[in-house]
């Protein structure tokens, strides 16, 4: 079953249960996926779907942060709830141990010791963690720390 079909089924369930907040978030997810499907000349594959979901999550995080700065806690909580709902459609996240192991393997394979070549290590690490959800900024910080300390 495709992600759009799963979202559609969840929308029907939310309508029947009269869960307005959940329904609104599901409609937003479906709209973003459909827009990507229409905009892209290629068919929507799993990688593209995950990219759309990650983009939506980033938007929710940024919006929640802005609402908190503006003192609109209720709106920030709504954004956080939507982010949590979107995350349920992503594959399981990689554990800290898995991330550290992937970084160590990538460093060993590439032989990179300079922060200047960090992109090579990042690419190799992301390839090892393919299929798992990983925060790119956190991963980047970990790789930078490993390269700068020389571990």
């Amino acid at each position: 079953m495709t992600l759009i079909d799963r979202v559609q089924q969840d929308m029907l369930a939310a309508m029947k249960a009269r869960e307005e907040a959940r329904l609104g978030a599901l409609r937003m997810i479906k709209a973003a996926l459909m827009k990507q499907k229409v905009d892209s000349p290629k068919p929507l594959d799993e990688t593209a779907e995950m990219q759309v979901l990650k983009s939506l999550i980033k938007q929710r995080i940024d919006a929640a942060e802005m609402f908190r700065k503006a003192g609109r806690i209720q709106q920030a909580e709504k954004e956080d709830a939507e982010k949590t709902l979107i995350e349920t459609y992503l594959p399981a996240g990689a554990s800290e141990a898995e991330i550290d192991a992937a970084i160590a393997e990538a460093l060993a394979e590439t032989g990179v010791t300079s922060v200047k070549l960090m992109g090579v290590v990042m690419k190799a690490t992301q390839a090892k963690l393919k299929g798992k959800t990983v925060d790119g900024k956190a991963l980047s910080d970990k790789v930078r720390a490993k390269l700068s300390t020389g571990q």
Side-chain angles (χ1 to χ4, degrees):
M1 176 185 311
T2 66
L3 182 60
I4 292 175
D5 293 337
R6 278 182 44 209
V7 171
Q8 182 65 37
Q9 282 184 340
D10 291 347
M11 280 176 58
L12 289 172
M15 280 184 223
K16 289 178 182 177
R18 300 194 188 283
E19 297 172 333
E20 295 299 322
R22 181 174 164 82
L23 181 60
L26 289 168
R27 283 182 172 150
M28 177 219 19
I29 294 169
K30 185 177 178 194
L33 289 168
M34 293 302 285
K35 181 180 182 326
Q36 179 68 24
K37 188 175 182 180
V38 169
D39 289 350
S40 176
K42 303 183 277 185
L44 199 61
D45 62 349
E46 190 175 335
T47 306
E49 290 173 344
M50 294 307 121
Q51 195 60 42
V52 169
L53 293 178
K54 287 177 183 177
S55 172
L56 290 173
I57 288 172
K58 180 153 178 27
Q59 289 172 2
R60 300 296 149 267
I61 291 169
D62 292 345
E65 184 181 320
M66 292 299 196
F67 283 129
R68 281 193 181 87
K69 284 181 181 176
R72 299 185 63 193
I73 304 303
Q74 189 174 7
Q75 281 297 114
E77 289 171 355
K78 178 181 177 265
E79 295 291 333
D80 288 336
E82 287 179 0
K83 177 180 107 27
T84 304
L85 176 73
I86 297 167
E87 287 172 342
T88 62
Y89 292 99
L90 287 174
S95 69
E96 291 292 319
E98 290 174 319
I99 293 172
D100 290 338
I103 292 171
E105 286 178 37
L107 286 170
E109 284 178 13
T110 59
V112 173
T113 56
S114 168
V115 176
K116 290 180 182 177
L117 297 173
M118 186 175 135
V120 175
V121 178
M122 284 292 294
K123 191 172 186 177
T125 304
Q126 288 172 334
K128 297 208 176 304
L129 295 171
K130 189 162 181 76
K132 300 204 184 256
T133 304
V134 181
D135 178 21
K137 178 148 177 41
L139 181 63
S140 172
D141 292 343
K142 282 185 173 237
V143 169
R144 181 173 281 115
K146 292 269 189 195
L147 288 172
S148 63
T149 59
Q151 291 179 344

